[in-house]
């Protein structure tokens, strides 16, 4: 039984935020019913995105709405506030939050008070001061970016098919991906597979006309699956005529020209940036201890070190790895640790409220799986290396088992089954990004944004 009424504030609705709130909702079911506890989740989106499925959503293998989990449905016992936390004063137990309502009403930020704080804002894309990147770069962390990239790639095929200018055609058919981690390799593999399939429906564009380029600053890609599987991945990608450039950096993409550190220049309309992540900026706007990388310093019990009643896990937290052979190691910031940490975190907060001993987070990393496109993949799990179809199948089976809710599991599985029976969808719905543009023109007004490209004109 909780000693007194507890207000728990969860900042973030990603892996850690959702799973922690879900665990707390179960552990404190009686307390929530009696009004002795309340859980508030502050998140910029009313859903949790299952990011490992973003490449398949971008390629059209999975519907975008099936890679997200609605928080209000899953967290029925919590109050979900759609907004952004901008700063946290843990000494006073307050968080400064802006919501959609405060923006519409022109009011200042709201201040939420709490007794227990869970910081799980995740991470944001780590960008570099590359000329032209802010103007022309495309990220790949959200479902909106994944669907926007899919529409963009298919639109480039339409441009290449209809233009009479060889330079425009060449730029439209050149796709540059920066970053050789999971996000970059999987996104490139799935989208190249989709675009290659789509070219069969164009009378004047072939798969050989396209240039796909992967740029990686280090000497290897996919370090999580091991050096051997990384080399196999490079070989497999090059076999598909994908230009893999290791020990190479993007120097500039100004004027729609990708300039690489090895001197190569590629006119292109597509630069996808997946070169790493960094902690969310809200962490720097707190009075909590941070490490050299800007993450919260945590104990093995997932409490913020030296800050009672503050907790963290996932990308935002530097959690000691008690299973490491040498002391001083930290848990990798990935989904495998985040989901497991969230469960311990939800248990420990309930233990702390009830005056019970805390559990220690201890999980040995079992390995990684990656998809390289349809029926192709690599895996390094429990010391065993797999490649090709077995690795691809393991990738799908593992992530199907991990996506939250039976509803989402069933829908994803059904879509995979239908994809095996019918042809791939290659429709671009780029006009979804500016749905009012055509109506504004028809009404005689000036479109507030660039109107969608419409071949019917």
């Amino acid at each position: 039984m909780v000693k007194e009424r507890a207000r728990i504030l969860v900042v973030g609705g990603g892996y850690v935020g959702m799973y922690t709130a879900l665990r707390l909702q179960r552990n404190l079911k009686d307390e929530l019913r009696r009004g002795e506890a309340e859980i508030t989740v502050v998140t910029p989106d009313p859903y949790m995105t299952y990011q490992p499925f973003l490449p398949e959503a971008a390629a059209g293998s999975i519907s975008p709405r099936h890679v997200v989990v609605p928080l209000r449905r899953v967290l029925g016992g919590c109050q979900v506030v759609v907004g952004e936390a901008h700063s946290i004063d843990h000494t006073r137990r307050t968080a400064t939050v802006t919501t959609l309502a405060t923006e519409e009403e022109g009011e200042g930020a709201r201040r939420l008070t709490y007794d227990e704080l869970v910081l799980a804002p995740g991470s944001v894309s780590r960008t570099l001061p590359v000329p032209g990147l802010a103007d022309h770069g495309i990220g790949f962390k959200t479902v909106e970016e994944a669907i926007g990239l899919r529409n963009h790639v298919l639109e480039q095929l339409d441009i290449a098919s209809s233009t009479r200018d060889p330079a425009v055609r060449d730029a439209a058919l050149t796709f540059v991906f920066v970053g050789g981690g999971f996000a970059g390799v999987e996104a490139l593999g799935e989208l190249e597979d989709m675009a290659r399939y789509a070219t069969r429906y164009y009378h004047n564009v072939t798969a050989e006309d396209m240039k796909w380029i992967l740029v990686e600053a280090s000497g290897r890609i996919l370090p999580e699956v091991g050096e051997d599987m990384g080399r196999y991945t490079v070989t497999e990608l090059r076999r598909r005529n994908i230009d893999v450039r290791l020990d190479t950096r993007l120097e500039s993409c100004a004027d729609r020209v990708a300039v690489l550190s090895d001197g190569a220049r590629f006119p292109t309309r597509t630069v996808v940036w997946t070169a790493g992540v960094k902690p969310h900026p809200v962490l720097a706007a707190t009075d909590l201890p941070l490490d050299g990388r800007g993450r919260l310093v945590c104990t093995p019990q997932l409490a913020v070190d030296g800050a009672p009643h503050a907790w963290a896990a996932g990308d935002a937290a530097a959690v000691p790895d008690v299973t490491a052979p040498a002391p001083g190691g930290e848990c990798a910031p990935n989904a495998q640790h985040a989901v497991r940490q969230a469960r311990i975190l939800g248990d420990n907060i309930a233990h702390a409220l009830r005056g019970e001993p805390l559990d220690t987070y201890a999980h040995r990393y079992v390995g990684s799986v990656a998809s390289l496109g349809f029926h192709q993949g690599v895996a390094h799990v429990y010391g065993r290396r797999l490649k090709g179809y077995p690795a691809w199948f393991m990738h799908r089976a593992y992530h199907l088992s991990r996506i939250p809710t039976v509803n989402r599991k069933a829908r994803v599985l059904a879509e995979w089954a239908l994809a095996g029976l019918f042809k791939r969808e290659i429709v671009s719905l780029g006009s979804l990004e500016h749905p009012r543009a055509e109506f504004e023109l028809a009404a005689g007004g000036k479109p507030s944004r660039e109107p969608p490209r419409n071949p019917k004109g």
Side-chain angles (χ1 to χ4, degrees):
M1 181 176 179
V2 175
K3 296 180 179 179
E4 58 184 20
R5 186 171 184 268
R7 298 164 298 176
I8 304 171
L9 176 63
V10 181
V11 177
Y15 290 115
V16 175
M18 190 199 76
Y19 278 108
T20 300
L22 184 61
R23 195 77 167 187
L24 284 168
Q25 186 175 266
R26 294 172 180 172
N27 290 338
L28 302 177
K29 179 172 60 176
D30 295 336
E31 288 83 352
L32 290 169
R33 187 182 66 252
R34 293 193 298 262
E36 297 174 356
E38 65 177 35
I39 305 170
T40 301
V41 180
V42 176
T43 171
D45 299 305
Y47 52 80
M48 187 276 275
T49 302
Y50 192 72
Q51 292 184 342
F53 279 156
L54 286 184
E56 292 202 48
S61 301
I62 301 176
S63 174
R65 65 183 183 277
H66 295 158
V67 302
V68 298
V69 180
L71 294 177
R72 297 187 192 278
R73 178 185 296 176
V74 176
L75 304 178
C78 305
Q79 179 186 3
V80 177
V81 177
V82 178
E84 288 273 4
H86 294 282
S87 64
I88 295 172
D89 186 346
H90 189 61
T91 303
R92 299 182 179 180
R93 303 288 196 276
T94 60
T96 303
V97 178
T98 57
T99 66
L100 296 177
T102 58
E103 293 175 359
E104 286 290 330
E105 297 167 0
E107 298 180 357
R110 294 172 53 188
R111 291 187 180 275
L112 299 181
T113 57
Y114 61 84
D115 299 304
E116 301 288 334
L117 172 68
V118 178
L119 268 173
S123 57
V124 297
S125 295
R126 176 175 57 85
T127 58
L128 299 175
V130 177
L133 183 61
D135 298 322
H136 306 301
I138 303 172
F140 199 78
K141 272 188 65 66
T142 67
V143 67
E144 294 85 359
E145 288 175 330
I147 304 313
L149 181 57
R150 167 186 169 81
N151 292 331
H152 174 82
V153 169
L154 292 173
E155 185 180 71
Q156 300 314 301
L157 297 182
D158 291 333
I159 292 173
S161 176
S162 58
T163 185
R164 296 181 179 180
D165 188 333
V168 173
R169 175 186 170 91
D170 183 59
L173 295 178
T174 301
F175 306 93
V176 179
F177 285 68
V178 183
F182 277 118
V185 172
E186 290 190 331
L188 184 150
E190 292 285 352
L191 285 165
E192 189 274 341
D193 197 47
M194 177 202 72
R196 180 158 31 88
Y197 175 85
T199 56
R200 68 180 65 184
Y201 298 102
Y202 289 83
H203 70 281
N204 59 350
V205 177
T206 66
E208 290 71 25
D209 294 333
M210 296 185 295
K211 298 177 185 175
W212 294 82
I213 303 155
L214 177 63
V215 180
E216 168 55 40
S218 68
R220 56 189 292 196
I221 65 173
L222 293 181
E224 297 86 352
V225 298
E227 189 172 352
D228 291 342
M229 290 295 96
R231 284 196 297 265
Y232 166 81
T233 303
V234 171
T235 302
E236 176 63 21
L237 293 178
R238 286 173 174 167
R239 188 185 64 81
R240 290 162 56 177
N241 293 324
I242 296 173
D243 186 356
V244 180
R245 295 179 178 246
L246 304 178
D247 297 310
T248 306
R249 300 180 307 278
L250 177 69
E251 299 286 353
S252 170
C253 59
D255 301 323
R256 293 192 180 277
V257 177
V259 180
L260 307 184
S261 59
D262 60 3
R265 298 171 61 90
F266 296 99
T268 179
R269 299 173 59 89
T270 308
V271 175
V272 183
W273 183 269
T274 63
V277 296
K278 62 181 180 181
H280 195 282
V282 72
L283 300 184
T286 71
D287 53 353
L288 299 172
L290 305 178
D291 68 359
R293 298 181 180 179
R295 299 180 299 170
L296 294 164
V297 179
C298 292
T299 67
Q301 291 73 37
L302 305 176
V304 178
D305 197 12
H309 309 290
W311 312 79
D315 292 352
V319 179
D321 185 358
V322 299
T323 67
E330 296 176 348
C331 296
N334 55 41
Q336 186 178 136
H337 280 299
V339 173
R340 288 171 170 83
Q341 287 173 358
R343 294 170 183 163
I344 298 297
L345 182 51
D347 290 343
N348 277 351
I349 294 174
H351 291 329
L353 293 176
R354 294 166 178 160
E356 300 170 352
L358 303 183
D359 298 328
T360 296
Y361 176 72
H363 169 70
R364 188 177 296 278
Y365 189 59
V366 299
S368 301
V369 291
S371 171
L372 305 180
F374 196 57
H375 289 174
Q376 292 295 323
V378 291
H380 187 193
V381 181
Y382 290 112
R384 299 190 63 182
R385 299 177 178 87
L386 298 174
K387 57 186 178 182
Y389 182 86
W392 173 83
F393 182 82
M394 178 175 288
H395 172 270
R396 282 198 160 186
Y398 173 78
H399 288 300
L400 182 66
S401 70
R402 295 302 174 183
I403 191 169
T405 77
V406 174
N407 178 295
R408 286 298 180 268
K409 295 180 195 294
R411 290 180 181 272
V412 169
L413 185 60
E415 288 193 312
W416 282 343
L418 291 174
L421 298 174
F422 300 100
K423 296 180 179 180
R424 188 195 293 260
E425 293 290 346
I426 57 168
V427 177
S428 170
L429 298 176
S431 58
L432 289 175
E433 300 170 20
H434 311 302
R436 295 190 65 248
E438 185 171 344
F439 180 79
E440 289 175 350
L441 282 174
K446 183 179 180 180
S448 58
R449 299 188 181 189
E450 179 185 355
R453 296 183 178 87
N454 188 343
K456 294 182 291 186

